[in-house]
Amino acid sequence: MRIAIVSDVHANIEALDAVLADAAAGGEVGAVWCTGDLVGYGPDPGAVIDRLRAAGALCIAGNHDLAATGRMDDNEFNPAARAAARWTASALSAEHRAWLAALPLVCVEGEFTLVHGSLREPAWEYLLSGEQALDQFALQETHASIVGHSHVQFYAEECETTPELIGVRDGDSLALGEARVILNPGGAGQPRDGDPRAPYMLYDDAARTVRWRRVPYDFTSTQRKIVAAGLPQRLADRLALGR
Ligand code: ZN
């Protein structure tokens, strides 16, 4: 079975649709997983929720999902993120809000644990260093964990010493072996590594191989909707920069 794994879709339906189409173009997609931040920043929170639900996606909550549903104070957000969280809260239907509010912070599926930030601080910690990877492995009960939140594609393999976070590019793959791993599919709806193409990860459970992908999409229509919604201009600008 092929599993499409996305994170940080951030209410960007054009990016999500491009990723799902790319995954489907390579063969049947048996499951879709999303490691949090379905909403926030972008103009289409309801459409993203509908699309993921229609795909039967396994989803967990990220900090933006918590903020948009009142499960978390948005005072620690920067001004643009806070403005977007409040706009999102007002844009969600009661039904969408209830569905989003019910998402768990951590989910175990087979040999994978899905968590937005880290197992130590599921909604908040940016896992960005070898020391943090070490702490993650200490709490990780499955072979692999999948994190998001940093919007950067990488992996880390458990080893005798402090693991390195290995950055990946479009088409890179990793065969899961004996060593436990931490995987990050990147931020589909708002990449932050200088490449505006939408990132995601494909897992083939027969081959036990993960492949990272980048998909071009029409971010100009997302940008237009961000501006039309009255969301901060910076949130539109950054989609062209991948920052
Ligand atoms: Zn995010």
Side-chain angles (χ1 to χ4, degrees):
M1 178 168 78
R2 296 161 78 252
I3 301 167
I5 305 166
V6 295
S7 190
D8 300 272
V9 178
H10 284 297
N12 183 337
I13 190 67
E14 288 77 22
L16 177 62
D17 280 343
V19 158
L20 294 177
D22 184 77
E28 195 187 335
V29 177
V32 177
W33 298 349
C34 178
T35 49
D37 279 4
L38 285 68
V39 305
Y41 294 133
D44 284 309
V48 163
I49 291 171
D50 286 342
R51 194 75 85 250
L52 287 169
R53 288 172 75 180
L58 182 66
C59 298
I60 56 162
N63 52 321
H64 285 262
D65 306 317
L66 299 183
T69 51
R71 291 167 76 189
M72 190 192 76
D73 201 325
D74 61 15
N75 282 331
E76 285 185 52
F77 276 25
N78 67 52
R82 190 180 313 129
R86 292 179 184 177
W87 180 88
T88 303
S90 69
L92 287 172
S93 70
E95 206 270 327
H96 283 145
R97 190 177 305 112
W99 182 85
L100 201 59
L103 293 180
L105 290 173
V106 181
C107 174
V108 171
E109 180 77 0
E111 59 178 340
F112 293 87
T113 302
L114 279 57
V115 64
H116 183 64
S118 74
L119 289 167
R120 179 164 54 194
E121 278 194 78
W124 277 113
E125 183 175 17
Y126 290 91
L127 202 163
L128 290 169
S129 73
E131 286 74 24
Q132 289 170 299
L134 209 53
D135 294 339
Q136 175 87 348
F137 283 127
L139 296 169
Q140 183 173 314
E141 292 174 354
T142 53
H143 184 76
S145 64
I146 304 173
V147 301
H149 198 36
S150 64
H151 300 204
V152 176
Q153 295 182 302
F154 69 79
Y155 71 90
E157 261 182 322
E158 194 170 31
C159 56
E160 303 272 300
T161 56
T162 306
E164 248 188 282
L165 302 193
I166 313 287
V168 290
R169 292 168 169 233
D170 183 29
D172 283 354
S173 64
L174 177 71
L176 300 192
E178 306 224 321
R180 297 194 303 157
V181 293
I182 301 166
L183 308 165
N184 191 324
Q190 191 196 79
R192 292 181 187 166
D193 58 1
D195 181 347
R197 295 177 299 167
Y200 78 106
M201 225 162 53
L202 259 177
Y203 178 62
D204 182 327
D205 71 351
R208 285 190 91 225
T209 300
V210 177
R211 185 175 301 277
W212 285 268
R213 303 271 299 161
R214 297 303 283 245
V215 190
Y217 74 99
D218 177 22
F219 54 75
T220 60
S221 72
T222 319
Q223 290 178 310
R224 277 194 296 275
K225 287 192 271 182
I226 287 173
V227 172
L231 286 159
Q233 178 70 40
R234 152 115 183 98
L235 299 178
D237 295 343
R238 67 189 303 175
L239 294 182
L241 305 170
R243 293 274 176 216

